[in-house]
Amino acid sequence: MNDFKKMADEKRRDFLKFVAKAGISVTALQASTLAMGIMSTRFAEAQTASAKIQRVVFVFIPGGTPMGATETFTPTGSAGALTMNSCTQAFDAVKQNCIFMKNTMIVAGDSEAGGHGLTFRVLGAFNGNGTTVDNVLAQSSIGNTSRFSSLRLGVISNSAAGATLDTSISSTNIWTQSTYSSNPRTVFNTLFSGGANVGGGTATTAQLQQQKIYDMNLVTLQKIRNQLSATERLRADENIAAIEKLKSDLNSASGPISSGCSNPSWNNYGATDADPMEGKHFTQLFDQQARNAALALACNLTKVVSIQMGTDGSNFAATGFNDTLHGSIHGGVHANYVAQRAYLSARVRSLIDILKTTIDEAGRPLFESTLIVQLSDMANGSDHTGKDAPLMMASGNAKFNGGRVIAANTHTQLLDTAAQAIGLTGYTPYSAGAVAGVFS
């Protein structure tokens, strides 16, 4: 009996800690059975969070890979014992958390679509309902309950000289492009500085997020109220009053409120500042944006992130390179193209490492509840082809079947895989079906 009591006490303490991180006082919790039910459900979900994907990060690398994925990107060997290729060496230590695609084609509709321009096809603008997957997720209940329905981060994605038209990977209704912020410091300040006035002071990011959740609950209850019976309406009114009370308590809070993370300090990832317009700072800029993504995900400010490296023109010379990526693709020296593509793979590896060392609201590495989908606009960049494209996914989720190579016919199958993994339903699919075998 003592052992059971000890376990119960530990669970109770864990639950109270979880409630405190959500910014709800014990007094408010005791006053509202609705609040108790909401938080009990959230606590239970947090305890089993490792069993499902809760967040997704799309990463765009322009310019394909030398001679196509089979030659320089796709690993060889059997499942669980892969040997990395020349452009995927950076993933060797984390290969059990990676799935690499083979025989996959970049498409617009059903047609092969490698090459420059119309870059929003990468996230599915010419498939599905004509809106890219990041925006479909943002418009769904997955995104619209977060303070930021979708977070679009760029690394030299708005300033590369010589970029063609239609360079964003994100759009709505096919042609309306979404912009990417390539200044990591600006993104950080937007996420974690300022805010609305609350209780005579400035709201924390957690308070703003909690307010949005309460508002969503109020809207839902008010929408269904008139469809209920008289008895059910009385209960709905009690619930509405309880939520209004929780909002009032939140607005009058005098101290800082945390939701699994306090307002963090800026990490410069270097002794000097990085100019967001200069490719020579690419490594530093990417790590800053990757940390912005991780913090936003861990603080539940968003569930959907996309990171765009450069533009379709590939006209940036990244850290340690004298030539631009585009120059290496068409310069006739195979080793230069390989080196730059391997460098960009290492940036995705850096994102994995940052997600592994960032803790989520359940006290687990963020990587366990996150799916990374790395995409491109070409297969062999020098020929502007779409067949045999270098694509991969990564996750630390227990149900993710990493350490293998899996066939996918089109890149849009990866979009459906991500959408369905995070729980999107009732949408217009981007392909004939998700990639088989990614999750068990």
Side-chain angles (χ1 to χ4, degrees):
M1 184 63 70
N2 288 337
D3 287 341
F4 286 118
K5 185 177 185 302
K6 181 179 179 181
M7 290 171 62
D9 288 342
E10 289 175 348
K11 281 290 184 184
R12 180 176 180 276
R13 284 193 295 270
D14 288 343
F15 176 67
L16 291 175
K17 289 178 183 177
F18 182 80
V19 169
K21 288 179 178 179
I24 300 175
S25 68
V26 174
T27 302
L29 194 68
Q30 292 171 335
S32 170
T33 55
L34 174 65
M36 178 67 80
I38 291 172
M39 296 314 299
S40 296
T41 300
R42 285 193 196 168
F43 178 69
E45 289 175 347
Q47 301 308 298
T48 59
S50 62
K52 59 183 179 181
I53 292 298
Q54 295 178 297
R55 307 161 177 96
V56 63
V57 181
F58 299 100
V59 182
F60 169 68
I61 295 178
T65 194
M67 302 176 70
T70 301
E71 294 297 323
T72 58
F73 186 85
T74 309
T76 58
S78 58
L82 297 179
T83 299
M84 295 297 102
N85 214 319
S86 56
C87 292
T88 47
Q89 288 296 321
F91 298 116
D92 189 62
V94 295
K95 60 187 176 185
Q96 300 307 326
N97 297 122
C98 300
I99 294 177
F100 301 87
M101 301 298 113
K102 67 177 180 180
N103 303 325
T104 310
M105 183 169 65
I106 307 296
V107 296
D110 296 324
S111 303
E112 179 183 356
H116 297 295
L118 304 179
T119 317
F120 33 85
R121 72 188 182 283
V122 170
L123 290 183
F126 295 96
N127 296 77
N129 69 356
T131 292
T132 55
V133 65
D134 61 316
N135 283 317
V136 168
L137 287 169
Q139 295 163 9
S140 74
S141 59
I142 292 167
N144 63 24
T145 54
S146 300
R147 183 182 170 201
F148 298 93
S149 58
S150 176
L151 192 62
R152 293 183 292 273
L153 307 176
V155 184
I156 317 293
S157 66
N158 301 116
S159 62
T164 64
L165 296 174
D166 307 320
T167 61
S168 173
I169 61 172
S170 175
S171 70
T172 56
N173 301 320
I174 301 182
W175 301 108
T176 305
Q177 294 180 73
S178 306
T179 59
Y180 278 72
S181 176
S182 287
N183 189 323
R185 177 85 73 163
T186 298
V187 172
F188 181 84
N189 289 338
T190 300
L191 291 171
F192 298 106
S193 299
N197 288 331
V198 173
T202 300
T204 65
T205 54
Q207 284 173 313
L208 293 171
Q209 171 68 3
Q210 198 66 42
Q211 284 176 335
K212 185 164 186 178
I213 291 172
Y214 290 155
D215 287 339
M216 289 295 298
N217 279 295
L218 283 172
V219 168
T220 300
L221 283 170
Q222 288 162 349
K223 278 184 177 179
I224 67 172
R225 184 184 180 281
N226 293 333
Q227 303 173 28
L228 303 176
S229 68
T231 301
E232 290 172 327
R233 278 200 301 273
L234 286 174
R235 178 162 183 156
D237 288 342
E238 290 176 356
N239 289 341
I240 289 170
I243 295 176
E244 293 284 12
K245 176 64 167 60
L246 288 171
K247 283 187 66 179
S248 176
D249 289 346
L250 182 67
N251 290 338
S252 62
S254 58
I257 294 176
S258 172
S259 179
C261 67
S262 58
N263 286 346
S265 59
W266 168 254
N267 187 335
N268 204 49
Y269 284 94
T272 59
D273 288 338
D275 186 338
M277 306 288 282
E278 293 287 341
K280 65 182 180 181
H281 299 302
F282 200 99
T283 299
Q284 189 177 359
L285 292 168
F286 183 90
D287 286 347
Q288 289 171 352
Q289 292 287 47
R291 182 171 182 263
N292 282 338
L295 289 173
L297 293 169
C299 295
N300 286 318
L301 298 178
T302 192
K303 294 182 177 69
V304 183
V305 176
S306 52
I307 302 176
Q308 177 165 340
M309 292 195 237
T311 67
D312 69 308
S314 302
N315 287 292
F316 60 90
T319 308
F321 296 97
N322 294 322
D323 199 1
T324 64
L325 174 60
H326 189 263
S328 75
I329 292 173
H330 295 292
V333 180
H334 179 75
N336 293 346
Y337 186 8
V338 169
Q340 294 226 30
R341 186 56 181 82
Y343 165 84
L344 295 173
S345 289
R347 307 285 64 76
V348 181
R349 166 63 192 278
S350 181
L351 171 64
I352 291 173
D353 291 342
I354 289 172
L355 293 177
K356 280 188 168 188
T357 56
T358 303
I359 304 303
D360 69 11
E361 74 278 11
R364 299 184 178 93
L366 193 60
F367 190 50
E368 293 182 7
S369 58
T370 303
L371 176 67
I372 296 172
V373 182
Q374 181 257 290
L375 301 155
S376 187
D377 56 349
M378 304 185 204
N380 181 357
S382 63
D383 293 338
H384 296 179
T385 56
K387 294 179 179 178
D388 194 24
L391 314 176
M392 54 94 63
M393 293 182 282
S395 179
N397 191 271
K399 295 183 178 296
F400 184 77
N401 297 320
R404 64 190 66 210
V405 175
I406 295 180
N409 293 326
T410 66
H411 86 279
T412 50
Q413 288 184 267
L414 279 71
L415 309 184
D416 283 324
T417 302
Q420 293 168 26
I422 200 173
L424 184 65
T425 58
Y427 75 105
T428 304
Y430 291 90
S431 69
V435 181
V438 173
F439 292 95
S440 57

